[in-house]
Amino acid sequence: MGRVTQYRTDPDMVELLVRRSHATLKWIRGRGIRFVPIYGRQAFKVEGKFKFWGGLTIEAWGGGPGLIEALHTSHSAKEPGSFITRARFHS
């Protein structure tokens, strides 16, 4: 993480990010968010089996915009009357 951010990162925050990543994924999945393998960009076939590279094997259905929309929908359904600021994506 340091190399990627040119060492402009908080080591304690990075530690939390790494240590809680699995729990966070489980929490998101528990809210109904769907994930799919990234076959198109992060995998190639070797002897009939897909091999993933770069440490990325899944993404939220619909990518980043799909994740935001699904979290917003999930939040609105579970907590009526509250709101989440929606991100706008332009192509």
Side-chain angles (χ1 to χ4, degrees), residues 14-84:
V14 171
E15 185 70 21
L16 283 175
L17 174 67
V18 172
R19 291 204 181 272
R20 295 184 182 173
S21 61
H22 187 253
T24 300
L25 184 63
K26 286 173 55 176
W27 176 82
I28 291 172
R29 182 66 185 103
R31 296 184 74 82
I33 310 308
R34 294 173 48 196
F35 291 90
V36 294
I38 309 174
Y39 292 116
R41 294 175 287 146
Q42 295 295 123
F44 54 94
K45 257 189 178 175
V46 175
E47 298 177 6
K49 294 182 180 181
F50 278 99
K51 301 288 183 177
F52 291 88
W53 60 275
L56 298 174
T57 57
I58 61 170
E59 69 178 343
W61 183 267
L67 175 61
I68 297 299
E69 183 63 32
L71 284 171
H72 181 270
T73 301
S74 170
H75 182 77
S76 296
K78 291 184 181 197
E79 300 177 35
S82 62
F83 68 93
I84 293 177

